Every structure is written in structure tokens, then in C-alpha cells.
Amino acid sequence: MSLLDPFLGPTRIAYLSMEIALRPDIPTYSGGLGVLAGDTVRSCADLELPMVFVTLASRDGYLRQFIGADGGQIDAPDPWSPERHATALDAAVAVRIEGRPVWIRPWLYLHTCPHGGSAPVILLDTRLEENAPGDRGITDRLYGGDEVLRLKQEAVLGIGGERMLRALGFEIRTWHLNEGHAALAPLSLLARHRIGDDRPAAGPLRYDPDPVRAACVFTTHTPVEAGHDRFSYDLVARLLGDFFEIEQLRLVAGPDELNMTRLALNLSGWVNGVAARHAQTARGMFPGYRIRAVTNGVHVPTWTSPPFARLFQSVTPEWAHDPDVLSRMDRLPDDAIWQAHEEAKAALIDEVQHRCGVTLRQDHPIIVFSRRMTGYKRPDLLFTDPDRLRRIAAALPFQVVLAGKAHPRDEGGKALIRELHAQARAMADSVPVAFLPNYEMGLAKIMVAGADLWLNTPMPPLEASGTSGMKAALNGVPQLSVLDGWWIEAWEEGVTGWAIGGDGSRPEEHAADLYAKLEDVVLPLWHHDRPGWTRLMKAAIARIGSRFHSQRMMRRYASEAYLR
Ligand SMILES: *Cc1c(COP(=O)(O)O)cnc(C)c1O
């Protein structure tokens, strides 16, 4: 009997994602998309939803970040062994790429929740003897290489994933595509619905899209046109050959190039953005499609720090399994909340000391900014006017902790990391600034809980949702954020946190708005009104933690998208 057997009968839903953050020592993710997929796995096990997950093995991970003497990012592979954490399953499928069969074998990783529910995750691996040496590494490095490798990886995920679930014996009724990377899966399904060979290839669609649309659910995450994966039809023809006639493919994936988002939109009967504002932006980008909104959420027991977990447990043992009850946490005594926070903050201060030798004070507030280091997230916004920052700190001291990786080919993101290090050195006399290398799940858990204030400064409307502020809120950390993504839905000024600027205000004014809010409202409250600050901490847990969790998200997908 195979470990998979108990799942084969009941499972009806497949979830495909290029990245899934399963646990800190399995680096098969790069950032928010993968963490969301991981929280989806965890909630699926909690709720005992009949789902199977598919991703790539990514044996070399995404990237392990070191910081050089010049403050620049040095990126290295981040290897892990599926052999140590997963079980090899006895199946193999092939996808023809560049005329050669590329064989794929599956690993099974089983996630089990404390209540006993579990969720199977299939990791697709091409590192096999039977493959040509040049094909073995296709699934090794997440988002590694150029667009040629990217299309090969997407072929393995989409076409290989669809074939693999069949080969393993799953009978899937619903295919959930987490971002456009998986859009070749519905194409693989469409290829099974040919309706006669008599019509010319350039004519109308010779395939029946209706059963495919009935089966596919697509979640888009990218609010900019340039962010969507596209491939020239020359490349598609060279790599995938006659897998799908190019003239026919143009009808569903765009006339000029293969646009993965368009392909997913055309072949999915249920489409959503990841926050209300993002769905609205996506509708503007892709008129004519019905795009709904399911706001992202985070997995509560994963992102709650030990001191807050103990506190919640003392109110109700159900908090981890039924996070809606967090709405009652506003009744917790102030000093219990503060005590739990002090403990989580001490853990962050230790981590900072240990990882970068910077000594932070427990009695000054810590502002944390940690996210992917890339232009639109504006990690440098806080440092727009260093003198202003020094003046604020002279009256109302604070400390800053930063972290985040830049994609190896994002030169702008790498320049930001160097610049942040230069700012940290220049500020050292008046504002302690620490940059923690190699931001990953484990570090994130310490940072979201140890912060006094979570800072979020993306350029609207580019933050589709964002989730790290939700993790902070669970630990009683209020956020100061630009009005974009999920924050538009959670923001109650002075109650759950604060806005930087107004909705639709000019991005050039955000730095001034940020300084004004810090100087006039946020830091005075922290320094001079502890009961007022604690009230915000409790509201963050009760009003945000009870709503922006991944169980609510999965209940919505289950009732609205999967059971349609
Ligand atoms: C939660 C998380 C993210 C997502 O951050 P956002 O910028 O809020 O979307 C990225 N990386 C890690 C390691 C995380 O834990």
C-alpha cells in the first residue's frame, strides 16, 4: 500500500503552484506567492479539504542570500534533499521538450495538522538518469535561468503536473492555478477535448473549452502588464513542437505571443484577484473577464509567535483551529498583551545581535520593513530624507530592522540592498538600523512578532495583496502602510493601524506623509500613551487576525470556486 492511497479516492481538487513554502528547511519558494501556497496547504489540512498540491522539487531552492563587505547581495544556491523530507512515488510521466522526452518523477511530501488532517504535496523532479544531462536540471532552481528555462519549468508544472496526477490515479474535477505559471495545465486538459479534424488549423477553435472552463479556477496575482509571463510563439514552437498547434494556441493565449495570464483567463471558468482593489485593477487590465476578489489570508498557528500562542490558548484552545475566535482577544488584559510582546521583541533583538552584531534596545520601538527587495516595494522610502529622520529620532527614538532578497537578475533590487546598507552606516550615530540577511519563513516569523510597528510602502496599485502585515497583526503589531492591497480592507485609522497618505494620493508625497504620521501620531503614542498603544495591539489581533486568515480564504474558495 502506498502513502498516497488514502488520498486517491476522495481527492477532487488539484492546486498547482510554481512555489510552495512547506517549511523553513524546504526552500521551494521565493516569497509571498509561495508562502500563500504553503498557508493554503496548511489550511487545507486543517479543514480536511480533498485537495492535492503540485509544485516543482526545486532541489537548489531559490537563493541563499549573503551580504558582502560592500553591502551588496551575494546569492548562492539553497540546496535541499527531497530524499530526506519526502517519499519517492512509483510513477513517471514525460513531456516532450525540444523534441526529447523529459521524464518527471514525483516526490510526496505529506503535511499533517495537529488535529490529524493532512494534505499531500507532489514535487515534480527531472533530475533523473533517464533524462539527457541538459534536461536533468530543469526543476532544480526556482525562477533560475532565462525565459527558455522558465518555459520548460512551466511545461513541467502545467503539462507534467496534469499528466502526473492522472498517472498517480487521481480523478481531479477542479484545477486551481495559483498564478499564470500553471496555465499550461488547462491547455493540457484542452488538448484532450478535440472536436474533429476537419476544420483548418487557422480557423475557429477545434477544441471544446467548456469542460476545461468548468474545471479550472485561476487566481491572478500580478497587477502590472509587464509582470505577466509571455513567450514568443517561435520559442513555444521550438520547445513544445506540435504539443498544441500554434495557430490554435493563438486563439486562446493571445494573437502575438503566448501570454500565460490570458491563457489562464480564457480557460478558467472562475477567476479571482487577491484583494478587492487588486481585482478592480485586474478588471481594468483585462476587460471582458469576470474577475472576482478573494482576499488573501495567513495561516494563524504558523504565524503566531509562542508567547501569543500561549496567551490565545489561555482564552480558548480553539484559536488555532477556528481563528474567527480571535475576535475575542480584545478582552485580554493590557499587561498580558504587553508582556507577550516584550518576549517576542526580545527574541527579535537576540536574532539581530546574533546575525549582524547590532545591539537594539528593548525600551525603544522597532520599526520593521521586510519584503522582496524590488523597486515597487520602495524599501528606501523611509530614508528619503535622512536629516528629517534624525530629527524625529532625536525627540522620539526608534530603531529599524530590514530584510529581504532581490531576484538575482533584479539589478534595481540589488542596488536598493546596497543603498540600505549605506543608509544604515550613515545613520548609525542616531538611528540604529540593522539588515538581516537571508529573509525566509523562519526569520519572518521572528520579525513579524518582534516588531513594534510594521511598515509597508509599495507604490500603488502594485501590491496585489501583501500578507506580511496580516502576520504582524496576529502578534499584536499595528501597521503603518500606504493604502494598497489588503490594507484598504483592514485599515481603520488609529484603530488597527495607520495610512500613509490617502487613497489615491500622489506617490511623491508618501515620504512626507510617512514622516508626518511617524512624528505626530505613531511615535508619540508609543512613547507617551502605553494604554492607547496597547488598544491598537488588541484591535490588530481582534479585528485583523480574526478575518485575514487562510481558513476564511479557503472556505471561500471551497464554497464559491470549487463547488460551483
Ligand atoms: C509572508 C512572507 C512574504 C510575503 O510578504 P509580502 O511582501 O507582505 O507579500 C515574503 N517572504 C516571506 C519569507 C514571508 O514569510
Side-chain angles (χ1 to χ4, degrees), residues 366-387:
I366 300 177
I367 301 177
V368 175
F369 181 100
S370 54
R371 26 271 320 264
R372 194 147 52 84
M373 287 292 157
T374 194
Y376 86 82
K377 301 249 189 190
R378 296 191 293 181
D380 53 342
L381 191 78
L382 180 65
F383 300 102
T384 306
D385 182 350
D387 289 334

Side-chain angles (χ1 to χ4, degrees), residues 277-301:
R277 176 60 55 86
H278 171 236
Q280 198 182 326
T281 307
R283 284 178 211 123
M285 223 170 3
F286 296 102
Y289 295 94
R290 176 148 188 215
I291 301 178
R292 303 160 214 248
V294 176
T295 303
N296 284 342
V298 298
H299 187 247
V300 168

Side-chain angles (χ1 to χ4, degrees), residues 287-548:
Y289 295 94
R290 176 148 188 215
I291 301 178
R292 303 160 214 248
V294 176
T295 303
N296 284 342
V298 298
H299 187 247
V300 168
T302 298
W303 296 108
T304 302
S305 62
F308 278 92
R310 283 196 300 274
L311 200 56
F312 299 161
Q313 190 76 17
S314 73
V315 177
T316 162
E318 277 308 297
W319 69 277
H321 211 66
D322 181 13
D324 292 358
V325 302
L326 292 178
S327 61
R328 288 173 24 206
M329 298 303 161
D330 54 357
R331 296 172 214 169
L332 281 166
D334 282 14
D335 51 345
I337 289 275
W338 189 252
Q339 206 42 54
H341 171 65
E342 289 278 86
E343 198 178 323
K345 184 171 173 177
L348 174 59
I349 291 174
D350 272 359
E351 199 68 24
V352 170
Q353 181 75 55
H354 177 71
R355 292 208 192 200
C356 50
V358 175
T359 307
L360 299 182
R361 296 173 58 145
Q362 185 86 25
D363 61 346
H364 286 173
I366 300 177
I367 301 177
V368 175
F369 181 100
S370 54
R371 26 271 320 264
R372 194 147 52 84
M373 287 292 157
T374 194
Y376 86 82
K377 301 249 189 190
R378 296 191 293 181
D380 53 342
L381 191 78
L382 180 65
F383 300 102
T384 306
D385 182 350
D387 289 334
R388 176 87 191 266
L389 213 49
R390 283 195 184 88
R391 282 201 304 278
I392 297 173
L396 299 159
F398 63 91
Q399 329 170 74
V400 180
V401 177
L402 308 163
K405 296 173 180 174
H407 186 279
R409 286 194 310 281
D410 181 355
E411 290 308 324
K414 288 181 159 180
L416 282 167
I417 293 175
R418 277 192 301 274
E419 189 195 321
L420 291 175
H421 280 87
Q423 294 285 7
R425 274 195 298 272
M427 284 281 181
D429 57 334
S430 42
V431 182
V433 179
F435 188 105
L436 295 176
N438 205 39
Y439 189 47
E440 44 78 37
M441 267 183 96
L443 183 55
K445 184 161 177 172
I446 296 170
M447 296 181 80
V448 296
D452 287 281
L453 180 71
W454 197 256
L455 180 66
N456 185 41
T457 55
M459 176 78 87
L462 301 185
E463 184 80 315
S465 168
T467 51
S468 48
M470 303 173 188
K471 304 171 194 167
L474 280 175
N475 294 287
V477 178
Q479 75 162 346
L480 171 59
S481 169
V482 162
L483 287 172
D484 199 14
W486 77 284
W487 184 234
I488 294 172
E489 293 160 54
W491 164 63
E492 296 172 74
E493 184 70 14
V495 178
T496 53
W498 301 270
I500 297 170
D503 192 2
S505 70
R506 295 188 26 239
E508 314 80 79
E509 289 166 3
H510 286 168
D513 292 332
L514 166 58
Y515 292 135
K517 196 65 61 95
L518 273 180
E519 184 166 33
D520 302 337
V521 182
V522 178
L523 291 171
L525 189 72
W526 195 94
H527 281 283
H528 305 311
D529 181 3
R530 184 58 41 79
W533 186 270
T534 320
R535 199 170 323 121
L536 259 111
M537 296 179 72
K538 289 195 284 193
I541 301 168
R543 302 174 79 90
I544 295 175
S546 66
R547 273 172 70 206
F548 292 87

